[in-house]
């Protein structure tokens, strides 16, 4: 293969790997925003907690002598359940009591919860970096020639993300739960009148978003091999950017926004300079919002009267 | 009546127990640095070492007949927190400050100490401009600045690794970028080709794209200016992607966390860091005392102990807390410290303490005893 082409593909896979994590995280922001018009600033911390739970259970699996696949499944499963529980409790404790409060109030509690969770993990665990077990070591090697531009773990992250996205699409578009979610997004009062348990659906949305964040956290932590209590911060900002880029409130847009953002950063680092990686990411955001204020796939809705 | 007499006695006893006996005020010394956050492993051992030194001094009667009281300030290596901390210490009327940990935080806090004329002695801030700019006459440090480190790194790269092509990466911070720029200059002086000079954002999800770029350039050596969290992230991803170049960094990576997190990936990694002090008697006894308390001197603990020692000696010598007298005394005196016999040059940089090149071998840092030609 031409060396330049292999390099280009490699940079794209770097971007798609990172973009996958942004996409999984952005979905959490966008699902919650779609239903509650609330930006859940504590989402990055749920991601971080997912990574820590994955770490603890992967370590446990190693002690129990589990095989690599079983160990990865245990870490991922535990992270999903645990982060989901955090999402559920977060909504119960911090957002539900403020359902009828002015919109600024839940925003402030969101920031408060974000700080609280981060400090909690620092006190309960450590402020230092800790090594994350290499869950992907047992992956089979790729066919001859592929190694020039992609790692097995990158392919695994991308494929798992696409599978999760497809599952989410089925859930939102073709299940009763999804129908209820979409109806609340349109008009919560009407949904309530039609007999939908709005609080239950909102809880479910938080659990779902948190579980997606946990999947992203475990996948990328196993890839880079280290975590600490602050890892949720930058990912949170980037994923929020991705959600806005795609059109906040639209799950398809969040997924697309995440991948586009990841690719932009990667191409900027690969062909220009990694100094300006973040600059280019936000430049693309500004350009897209200039020409499509509602985001890539967002619809420009007239203000509700 | 009896009762009242008793209560008076009690009152006197309380006063006596508190170290402000006979109404003499404590002599306050500030200790500022990263006591929390990602870089706490660099700030906590210096604090512990200063606490140990102050306890020992107080047992011997303190300074100027007063007990030394330490005022601790945590800046998490963040400039804005360092400014707040500096203002707090000025408000507390400290005589001098040991700190801060990171160059960026030190740079931000220095003008405040400068205005209040408070001498500042850092055990770990290595950015050259802090002393060389000449703007801060009350600033001293017990660690050589990065230019000394950069020269050593460049000499090691050319004389031992014999590399012709190098990639320089940094973390955009005052310390990391400063060191990287100096190494870059020194390498170019020695006609080594620097293929790439780029910064990464600390805390970014991964550095995969940059690493593919480095792989394409296939340098013989990668220089990274920054701290251990990014270093382990970069080197482990580089090994995943099959980069065989040798890695070298400054003292920002020489930390146990680097070994613990990097595991096999950091095997063979080179780092310049202050020379091994296990032969200095005072260093031995201080290390033993710290270990008795379940602490360790870390990278900068001994330098912090030396900074406190130099300061205490200066105050005792001039028998005053006047900042100008302390400053003048620091500039002229030679002090026996945990770093050996040290003094300060006119810029405030330490004389008599140096850097060595270490390599990770079998999971520990080994001093290579590199002597430049």
């Amino acid at each position: 293969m031409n060396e330049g082409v292999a390099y280009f593909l490699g940079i794209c896979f770097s971007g798609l790997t990172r973009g996958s994590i942004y996409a999984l995280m952005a979905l959490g922001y966008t699902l919650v925003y779609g239903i509650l018009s609330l930006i859940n600033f504590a989402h990055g911390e749920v991601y971080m907690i997912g990574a820590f739970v994955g770490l603890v259970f992967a370590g446990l699996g190693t002690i129990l002598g589990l095989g690599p696949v079983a160990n990865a499944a245990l870490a991922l499963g535990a992270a999903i359940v645990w982060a989901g529980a955090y999402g559920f409790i977060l909504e119960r404790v911090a957002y539900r009591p403020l359902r009828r409060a002015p919109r600024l109030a839940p925003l402030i509690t969101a920031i408060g919860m974000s700080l609280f969770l981060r400090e909690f993990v620092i006190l309960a665990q450590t402020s230092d970096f800790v090594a994350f077990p290499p869950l992907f070591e047992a992956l089979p090697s790729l066919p001859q020639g592929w190694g020039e531009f992609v790692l097995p773990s990158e392919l695994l992250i991308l494929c798992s993300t696409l599978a999760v996205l497809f599952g989410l699409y089925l859930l939102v578009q073709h299940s009763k739960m999804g129908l209820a979610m979409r109806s609340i997004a349109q008009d919560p009062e009407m949904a309530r009148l039609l007999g939908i348990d709005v609080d239950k659906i909102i809880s479910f949305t938080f659990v779902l978003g948190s579980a997606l964040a946990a999947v992203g956290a475990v996948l990328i932590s196993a890839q880079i091999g280290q975590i600490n209590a602050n890892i949720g911060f930058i990912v949170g900002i980037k994923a929020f950017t991705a959600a806005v880029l795609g059109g906040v409130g639209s799950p398809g847009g969040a997924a697309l926004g995440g991948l586009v953002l990841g690719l932009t950063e990667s191409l900027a680092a690969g062909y220009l300079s990694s100094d300006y990686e973040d600059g280019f990411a936000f430049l693309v955001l500004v350009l897209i919002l200039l020409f499509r204020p509602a985001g890539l796939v967002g619809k420009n809705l007239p203000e509700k009267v | 009546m009896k009762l009242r007499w008793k209560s008076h006695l009690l009152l006197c006893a309380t006063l006596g127990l508190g170290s402000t006996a006979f109404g003499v005020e404590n002599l306050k010394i500030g200790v500022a640095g990263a006591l929390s956050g990602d870089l706490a492993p660099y700030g906590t051992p210096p604090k512990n070492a200063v606490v140990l030194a102050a306890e020992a001094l107080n047992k011997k009667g303190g300074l100027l007949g007063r007990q030394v009281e330490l005022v601790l300030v945590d800046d998490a290596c963040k400039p804005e927190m360092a400014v707040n901390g500096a203002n707090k210490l000025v408000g507390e009327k400290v005589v001098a400050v040991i700190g801060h940990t990171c160059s960026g935080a030190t740079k931000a806090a220095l003008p405040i100490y400068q205005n209040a004329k408070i001498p500042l002695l850092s055990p770990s801030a290595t950015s050259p401009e802090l002393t060389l700019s000449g703007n801060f006459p009350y600033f001293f440090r017990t660690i050589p600045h990065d230019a000394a480190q950069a020269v050593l790194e460049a000499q090691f790269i050319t004389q031992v690794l014999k590399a012709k092509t190098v990639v320089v990466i940094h973390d955009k911070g005052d310390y990391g970028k400063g060191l990287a720029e100096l190494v870059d200059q020194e390498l170019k002086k020695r006609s080594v080709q620097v293929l790439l000079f780029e910064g990464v954002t600390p805390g970014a999800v991964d550095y995969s794209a940059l690493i593919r770029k480095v792989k394409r350039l296939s340098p013989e050596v990668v220089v990274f200016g920054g701290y251990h969290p990014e270093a382990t992230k970069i080197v482990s991803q580089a090994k995943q992607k099959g980069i065989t170049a040798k890695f070298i960094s400054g003292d920002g990576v020489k930390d146990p966390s680097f070994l613990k997190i990097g595991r096999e990936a950091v095997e063979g990694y080179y780092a310049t860091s202050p020379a091994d002090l296990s032969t200095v008697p005072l260093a031995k006894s201080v290390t033993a005392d710290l270990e008795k308390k379940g602490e360790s001197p870390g990278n900068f603990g001994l330098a912090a102990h030396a900074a406190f020692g130099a300061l205490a000696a200066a105050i005792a010598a001039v028998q005053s807390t006047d900042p100008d007298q302390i400053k003048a005394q620091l500039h002229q005196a030679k002090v026996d410290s945990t770093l050996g016999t040290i003094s300060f040059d006119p810029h405030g940089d330490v004389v008599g303490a140096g850097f060595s090149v270490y390599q990770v071998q079998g999971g520990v840092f080994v001093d290579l005893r590199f002597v430049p030609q």
Side-chain angles (χ1 to χ4, degrees):
Chain A
M1 191 187 291
N2 183 317
E3 193 260 344
V5 176
Y7 179 65
F8 175 74
L9 286 176
I11 293 293
C12 288
F13 273 106
S14 290
L16 289 172
T17 307
R18 187 186 268 211
S20 298
I21 308 307
Y22 292 165
L24 288 169
M25 281 286 285
L27 280 164
Y29 280 109
T30 227
L31 287 172
V32 167
Y33 187 86
I35 286 186
L36 282 181
S37 302
L38 162 80
I39 296 159
N40 178 15
F41 278 113
H43 195 51
E45 274 57 47
V46 172
Y47 163 93
M48 176 268 291
I49 285 170
F52 267 92
V53 174
L55 169 83
V56 170
F57 278 85
L60 201 68
T62 314
I63 293 169
L64 294 175
L66 294 181
V69 178
N71 200 4
L74 173 72
L76 198 59
I80 288 172
V81 172
W82 211 291
Y86 263 93
F88 179 79
I89 295 167
L90 185 68
E91 193 269 331
R92 268 296 166 88
V93 172
Y95 304 138
R96 187 172 295 181
L98 296 170
R99 196 62 52 77
R100 307 216 169 269
R103 274 180 68 179
L104 205 54
L107 203 67
I108 303 291
T109 37
I111 295 170
M113 284 314 287
S114 159
L115 290 174
F116 171 79
L117 289 177
R118 201 181 313 167
E119 296 301 321
F120 168 68
V121 172
I122 287 176
L123 286 178
Q125 297 287 327
T126 169
S127 62
D128 210 352
F129 274 87
V130 279
F132 198 93
L135 298 173
F136 298 154
E137 267 182 346
L139 283 179
S141 49
L142 292 167
Q144 188 69 35
W146 286 46
E148 281 177 54
F149 56 85
V150 66
L151 296 175
S153 52
E154 290 173 326
L155 219 48
L156 179 80
I157 290 175
L158 185 61
C159 292
S160 329
T161 305
L162 292 178
V164 170
L165 293 181
F166 183 66
L168 187 75
Y169 168 79
L170 291 182
L171 181 83
V172 173
Q173 296 297 334
H174 297 284
S175 76
K176 263 198 159 159
M177 203 55 127
L179 190 66
M181 284 165 72
R182 283 181 289 142
S183 72
I184 294 176
Q186 275 183 2
D187 188 339
E189 280 310 308
M190 194 62 202
R192 196 189 300 273
L193 289 176
L194 290 174
I196 294 172
D197 187 343
V198 175
D199 280 337
K200 201 174 103 191
I201 303 295
I202 291 176
S203 284
F204 175 76
T205 309
F206 269 86
V207 171
L208 186 64
S210 305
L212 292 171
V215 173
V218 172
L219 287 176
I220 197 69
S221 304
Q223 167 80 349
I224 59 175
Q226 66 186 64
I227 58 171
N228 83 341
N230 296 322
I231 54 166
F233 182 66
I234 288 192
V235 179
I237 290 179
K238 289 290 174 63
F240 178 61
T241 309
V244 175
L245 190 73
V248 74
S250 145
L256 185 65
L259 294 175
V260 167
L261 191 69
L263 276 174
T264 309
E265 288 185 349
S266 209
L267 290 169
Y271 286 99
L272 297 158
S273 164
S274 66
D275 283 304
Y276 302 111
E277 184 183 279
D278 297 339
F280 274 92
F282 291 110
L283 184 71
V284 167
L285 177 74
V286 169
L287 287 179
I288 286 179
L289 291 186
L290 269 180
F291 294 104
R292 292 193 60 92
L296 281 174
V297 298
K299 292 190 195 80
N300 236 338
L301 294 172
E303 192 73 22
K304 277 182 208 162
V305 186
Chain B
M1 206 52 202
K2 204 175 167 190
L3 197 75
R4 213 160 135 200
W5 182 80
K6 254 190 181 165
S7 69
H8 269 156
L9 196 76
L10 205 67
L11 192 70
C12 291
T14 331
L15 271 176
L17 273 178
S19 36
T20 51
F22 314 113
V24 179
E25 241 185 274
N26 283 347
L27 194 142
K28 286 186 185 172
I29 291 178
V31 180
L35 305 180
S36 70
D38 293 353
L39 301 174
Y42 295 120
T44 313
K47 183 223 29 168
N48 292 337
V50 173
V51 168
L52 183 84
E55 279 169 359
L57 191 65
N58 280 341
K59 257 184 219 158
K60 285 188 212 151
L63 270 178
L64 313 180
R66 291 153 70 180
Q67 290 282 295
V68 172
E69 178 186 337
L70 297 178
V71 185
L72 304 184
V73 159
D74 175 21
D75 68 13
C77 273
K78 291 188 175 139
E80 66 277 14
M81 283 175 76
V83 168
N84 285 342
N87 281 322
K88 187 186 163 210
L89 290 175
V90 171
E92 292 266 356
K93 297 200 169 27
V94 296
V95 171
V97 177
I98 308 294
H100 292 218
T101 309
C102 294
S103 296
T106 309
K107 192 174 150 193
L110 262 173
I112 295 162
Y113 296 119
Q114 183 68 26
N115 283 341
K117 285 192 165 191
I118 293 177
L120 181 69
L121 294 91
S122 173
S124 55
T126 50
S127 170
E129 58 168 326
L130 295 176
T131 48
L132 300 187
S133 71
N135 294 335
F136 305 109
Y138 295 96
F139 180 66
F140 296 83
R141 58 182 151 204
T142 49
I143 186 162
H145 59 65
D146 289 331
Q149 230 182 132
V151 171
L152 187 68
E153 271 188 47
Q155 286 169 331
F156 187 77
I157 289 168
T158 48
Q159 294 172 13
V160 177
L161 303 179
K162 302 202 189 304
K164 296 267 174 284
T165 52
V166 173
V167 161
V168 181
I169 303 171
H170 60 83
D171 69 355
K172 301 187 197 171
D174 276 319
Y175 162 73
K177 191 176 181 191
L179 179 60
E181 276 170 348
L182 289 165
V183 175
D184 183 48
Q185 284 168 17
E186 293 297 328
L187 286 173
K188 282 175 179 156
K189 268 188 215 162
R190 292 168 173 77
S191 53
V192 173
Q193 209 187 343
V194 177
L195 304 171
L196 183 75
F197 182 90
E198 268 184 28
V200 296
T201 309
V205 172
D206 63 3
Y207 302 122
S208 170
L210 175 66
I211 284 159
R212 287 204 151 96
K213 197 168 171 180
V214 172
K215 188 179 180 193
R216 191 188 195 194
L217 295 167
S218 64
E220 293 165 69
V221 170
V222 177
V223 175
F224 173 68
Y227 298 104
H228 65 85
E230 282 72 43
T232 45
K233 226 165 163 179
I234 290 172
V235 71
S236 61
Q237 286 193 288
K239 294 267 159 88
Q240 274 179 11
K241 294 197 165 71
I243 291 180
T244 50
K246 297 180 173 85
F247 278 76
I248 182 165
S249 284
D251 50 343
V253 307
K254 196 179 164 280
D255 186 272
S257 307
F258 179 73
L259 303 169
K260 213 173 65 198
I261 295 160
R263 292 179 293 205
E264 304 94 67
V266 298
E267 200 54 35
Y269 204 112
Y270 297 100
T272 50
S273 191
D276 188 9
L277 298 166
S278 52
T279 50
V280 179
L282 189 57
K284 263 191 198 165
S285 72
V286 167
T287 305
D289 288 347
L290 281 171
E291 276 162 3
K292 244 180 258 163
K293 293 167 84 177
E295 290 156 359
S296 88
N299 265 358
F300 306 117
L302 295 176
H305 193 281
F308 184 85
L311 175 70
I315 293 175
V318 298
Q319 282 295 307
S320 152
T321 57
D322 176 63
D324 290 307
Q325 289 188 36
I326 294 175
K327 184 180 76 152
Q329 178 65 20
L330 280 171
H331 276 301
Q332 55 167 297
K334 282 196 168 184
V335 190
D336 277 326
S337 74
T338 44
L339 303 177
T341 307
I342 56 164
S343 57
F344 295 96
D345 73 6
H347 295 293
D349 275 311
V350 67
V351 179
F355 279 103
S356 290
V357 180
Y358 294 80
Q359 186 183 24
V360 181
Q361 293 177 0
V364 287
F365 281 106
V366 176
D367 191 338
L368 296 179
R369 311 251 169 226
F370 166 62
V371 183
Q373 289 156 21

